[in-house]
Amino acid sequence: SNYNTKHFVVGDNIELNSTDVQNCGGYLVAENFEGSISGLYNEATYSIKFADEVIYISNFENFALFGNLNNATISNLFIAGKTSTKFTNLFAKDGASVLNLSLVARNAINSTIQNVNIENIEYELEIEKGLGSVYVAGLVAYMEGGSISGCIVENFAVKFVDSNKNGTENVSSSTTYIGGLVAKAVNKVTIENCSIYDLKLQQTKLHTVAFYVGGVAGHTTVKNGNTERSLIKNINVGETETDNEE
């Protein structure tokens, strides 16, 4: 049976520690998924929580619950850190083509993300000069079509650290996308009735060809002849903070 196309319900709280994360290979649930998952069971919403305040992971070019969502539905999940869980030692080596960091999915194609809450998460990134594109978001790194609704991202932070490897002074990437909900939205992605609170970005000597940052989406665009861009409405945005160091 192909479990990637089935419907699943989370029937209990899940707690993940550093070892669980380090051993996941980049995806905590599955690399490819076309089914549905709901955290709502018997009128209770269950959570996925990280047990440690600091989680060290390295050599991951991708990190999320899922790698690729295709016509999938993810709903009624609460994903949270312990007070504030910091994912650190996220080192992207020179020559890597892309770095994707998000909590729900790396890529979501024509999929639905509904009533998913993210809380108390920080990414501390150490990037070596020469990296390709960087996508960092609370929910989805790259989304094409589909919708995000009723979601909340709270106390979410992204910090870039100068690696200073091999005597290089500055870290760099070709293009960087950072969004509270989605890093890059392509074609018509409908984002509505969501809230973003306490979003923080700190960059230290990060030099890029292009840098896109947004409280909701880092960047929106169209491709393949489409003319309808993303629709964003009814968004509550609380405190945001950006700290840039040259």
Side-chain angles (χ1 to χ4, degrees), residues 41-78:
Y41 181 68
N42 282 345
E43 299 184 355
T45 299
Y46 292 98
S47 65
I48 299 172
K49 291 189 176 181
F50 298 101
D52 302 317
E53 293 189 356
V54 178
I55 295 179
Y56 295 92
I57 56 177
S58 60
N59 298 320
F60 281 13
E61 292 184 14
N62 304 289
F63 178 71
L65 292 181
F66 300 93
N68 304 299
L69 298 177
N70 191 354
N71 293 298
T73 298
I74 311 298
S75 63
N76 304 307
L77 283 180
F78 178 61

Side-chain angles (χ1 to χ4, degrees), residues 26-47:
Y27 305 118
L28 292 166
V29 178
E31 182 172 0
N32 300 297
F33 188 68
E34 300 177 5
S36 63
I37 287 184
S38 174
L40 183 64
Y41 181 68
N42 282 345
E43 299 184 355
T45 299
Y46 292 98
S47 65

